[in-house]
Amino acid sequence: MTTALILAVLIGAVAGSRTMLGPAAVSWAAYGGWLDLSGSWLFFLGHPVSPWVFTAMAVGELVTDKLPSTPSRKRPFPFASRIASGAIAGSAIGANAEAWVPGLLAGGLGAVAGTLLFYEARQRMAAAFGRDRPAALIEDAVALTVALLVVAAA
């Protein structure tokens, strides 16, 4: 169960970076049979349509994130969305180890930490580069890599 909770924190951190990336990753894992969510309230993540819907939302977020009009992730609604997303993704990881409630909590806490840590890292990288776009692309790559590693290990 400890491994599942660590993975739940990490997928929550991914959601802290990119809100829809965590649910997209666990949805693909559930659809592909890596995560067995069939007996849980998260069964919908394994539906054949779900990974495509979550992926479309994740791609839309990746594009929208680069726009200058996008609000800060630390504002109440984006922050709450990241926590909810991380909690759901963490719960899916936990459910695979029969610990969906601890996974839900770990994913939500991971999302809080990920939101704040990724924000700070991106601000520092943007200052070093003298612009935001390279920092944003690096953040995208790190979040995607962590998401893939988490679902592969789950």
Side-chain angles (χ1 to χ4, degrees):
M1 182 163 104
T2 303
T3 301
L5 293 180
I6 291 168
L7 294 174
V9 168
L10 291 173
I11 202 70
V14 167
S17 172
R18 296 290 176 264
T19 310
M20 298 314 300
L21 193 54
V26 296
S27 185
W28 278 108
Y31 174 67
W34 297 350
L35 292 176
D36 181 15
L37 303 176
S38 59
S40 78
W41 65 276
L42 297 163
F43 70 92
F44 67 92
L45 291 171
H47 188 278
V49 175
S50 295
W52 296 103
V53 171
F54 282 111
T55 299
M57 291 190 294
V59 169
E61 180 184 12
L62 290 173
V63 172
T64 305
D65 176 67
K66 313 304 179 285
L67 301 175
S69 61
T70 302
S72 170
R73 69 184 81 193
K74 292 175 23 177
R75 295 189 68 170
F77 182 75
F79 204 136
S81 298
R82 289 166 195 272
I83 294 169
S85 174
I88 289 170
S91 185
I93 297 293
N96 202 46
E98 298 182 18
W100 73 267
V101 172
L104 182 110
L105 296 172
L109 291 173
V112 170
T115 299
L116 299 173
L117 293 172
F118 274 106
Y119 176 84
E120 187 63 31
R122 181 163 165 181
Q123 294 303 309
R124 290 178 186 219
M125 286 189 296
F129 290 128
R131 50 186 217 168
D132 184 62
R133 175 113 355 145
L137 294 173
I138 290 169
E139 182 182 4
D140 292 345
V142 169
L144 181 58
T145 301
V146 172
L148 292 173
L149 290 172
V150 167
V151 296

